[in-house]
Amino acid sequence: MSSDVHTRPTPGRACLGSTSGRSIQSATSSVCSADATGHAQYGTIFDCSDERRSAAEMDEQRNQHIAYEYLCHLEEAKLWMESCVGEPLPSTTELEEGLKNGVFLAKLGHFFSPDAVPLRKIYDREQTRYNATGLHFRHTDNIIFWLRAMERINFPKIFYPETTDVYDKKNMPKLVYCIHALSLYLFKLGKAPQIQNLLGKAEFTDAEISNMRMDLDQYGVHMPAFGKIGGVLASEMTVDEAALHAAVMAINEAIDRQDVEATLTALRCAAAMLDNLEEDSAEAYQRELHAAKQEKVTQAHDRSVDVNRSYDVDAYDELLTQAEIQGFVNKTNSKLSARVISTTFNLCLLLKGGSPLRVIGSWALTLL
């Protein structure tokens, strides 16, 4: 499946979007129109009617918004897992059902910890039995393998769902929350790409949103705070939390000032516990981190002005967390390394009788 996400509402689809970069007046005019089929667009900051909504109507709108947000998180998890395991997953609205046999979770475990989850040990790997007869008790082995793989990389257990949360679908939001936290943890380690933020970009029909709302009502569980994952990860580190927080604050302040030297100095602070820092990459770190922080600030603003959702202020809403900073440092290093290899290869082609493989091999030896 393509990872492209259409941002323009199409007939019969609801897109609960933010109003980043637009004035309040333009936001009102853009979200208060019905689509081509007459469906109202969810996610409006202001009610489209001139009448004040009742408390029941406001609760209904908030519940629909929660369902939409959860669908967005499902879509984000789906696309991220597809990029890791290298194969398509079920559609977003069928993803919960498609994850409960643990096959895709075990394959994800193999992706980041192959020793913990050998492919040959994944039960019903091609899902032949599942498609023919449904769940078998041995499918729980796949979930257990995935949990062990996370233990192998020291992923904090506070995020783990219970086996029955997945197999019996008792708490699928907890599973999706865990996948999101795992994505940030692996991004920090440089083992996986960053998960996308599709809130306000992904589109779902009115029926899909209503059906998901009914499913969430059946779960009867508290929706996890997806936006607070970075802060939870930071608090789970066995370090001096006050020193770590102060170091992260200093990095964010330097990023805001766009002072390359100050940012590199802050990144190198021992309390920040960051690895793989290269002095020659300081300007690239500044550019990458500044862009990421600006996007995070915009997302926090969009959440704060949306009356359809409750908003609990958190210290890391507008700050890059330690995990995010490390992830972007690793991402920048990978980009620069790929650029050097590409440049070396192209130069080799220009040299008469030059061997690209020989030159690249010589360059690689300098990194050892």
Side-chain angles (χ1 to χ4, degrees), residues 51-349:
E51 299 178 1
R52 184 181 297 275
R53 290 181 296 174
S54 67
E57 289 172 333
M58 293 177 67
D59 286 342
E60 172 72 15
Q61 186 73 6
R62 289 193 184 97
N63 288 334
Q64 290 289 92
H65 193 88
I66 290 171
Y68 169 77
E69 284 190 0
Y70 181 60
L71 281 168
C72 287
H73 294 318
L74 279 170
E75 176 81 0
E76 292 160 354
K78 165 186 159 60
L79 295 178
W80 179 76
M81 288 184 66
E82 287 178 340
S83 69
C84 293
V85 304
E87 61 180 282
L89 271 67
S91 66
T92 302
T93 53
E94 299 295 329
L95 186 60
E96 290 183 331
E97 192 70 23
L99 291 178
K100 69 180 186 179
N101 63 23
V103 173
F104 287 115
L105 295 175
K107 289 181 178 180
L108 179 62
H110 174 78
F111 166 76
F112 63 80
S113 187
D115 292 340
V117 191
L119 285 176
R120 58 183 173 79
K121 289 192 174 183
I122 299 177
Y123 176 70
D124 193 23
R125 191 168 72 193
E126 303 303 322
Q127 305 196 52
T128 306
R129 174 161 188 157
Y130 176 74
N131 292 330
T133 60
L135 281 174
H136 186 273
F137 74 92
R138 286 192 58 194
H139 281 117
T140 59
D141 293 345
N142 295 331
I143 302 170
I144 293 171
F145 276 131
W146 173 63
L147 294 172
R148 288 177 180 171
M150 292 192 293
E151 290 179 354
R152 184 72 64 89
I153 61 172
N154 298 315
F155 180 60
K157 290 190 175 182
I158 190 174
F159 295 107
Y160 292 23
E162 299 292 334
T163 302
T164 55
D165 289 340
V166 182
Y167 184 79
D168 296 322
K169 290 182 65 177
K170 287 188 174 181
N171 192 345
M172 295 306 278
K174 176 72 172 178
L175 168 63
V176 179
Y177 178 70
C178 178
I179 292 172
H180 274 250
L182 178 63
S183 75
L184 177 56
Y185 188 79
L186 292 176
F187 177 62
K188 170 190 173 182
L189 297 178
K191 292 187 174 183
Q194 184 183 20
I195 199 167
Q196 298 182 56
N197 178 8
L198 302 180
L199 187 62
K201 301 175 184 178
E203 300 172 358
F204 305 97
T205 65
D206 294 340
E208 288 170 339
I209 295 173
S210 295
N211 288 338
M212 178 52 68
R213 183 208 164 167
M214 289 188 289
D215 288 344
L216 292 176
D217 287 344
Q218 289 181 353
Y219 289 140
V221 296
H222 178 69
M223 184 62 65
F226 286 84
K228 314 299 183 186
I229 288 174
V232 176
L233 271 176
S235 68
E236 287 298 305
M237 296 178 66
T238 54
V239 296
D240 184 338
E241 291 186 20
L244 175 62
H245 178 70
V248 171
M249 285 284 292
I251 294 171
N252 278 271
E253 290 171 359
I255 292 171
D256 286 338
R257 296 197 305 271
Q258 300 194 56
D259 185 330
V260 175
E261 184 176 348
T263 297
L264 182 61
T265 300
L267 289 171
R268 284 177 163 175
C269 176
M273 301 186 66
L274 297 171
D275 301 318
N276 307 320
L277 294 166
E278 301 288 343
E279 184 172 358
D280 292 342
S281 304
E283 291 186 5
Y285 294 151
Q286 173 64 45
R287 286 194 301 270
E288 190 81 31
L289 291 169
H290 186 263
K293 190 171 189 299
Q294 290 297 107
E295 181 178 354
K296 195 165 186 180
V297 169
T298 298
Q299 293 169 4
H301 174 265
D302 291 343
R303 291 195 300 271
S304 69
V305 299
D306 191 343
V307 298
N308 291 317
R309 61 187 296 173
S310 58
Y311 180 67
D312 299 321
V313 178
D314 183 85
Y316 282 98
D317 283 348
E318 298 185 358
L319 297 177
L320 293 177
T321 66
Q322 192 271 353
E324 290 170 329
I325 293 168
Q326 182 67 73
F328 285 113
V329 166
N330 293 336
K331 180 180 178 181
T332 302
N333 290 341
S334 296
K335 283 183 178 179
L336 295 177
S337 296
R339 191 176 302 164
V340 169
I341 293 175
S342 177
T343 301
T344 303
F345 183 82
N346 290 331
L347 286 175
C348 284
L349 296 179

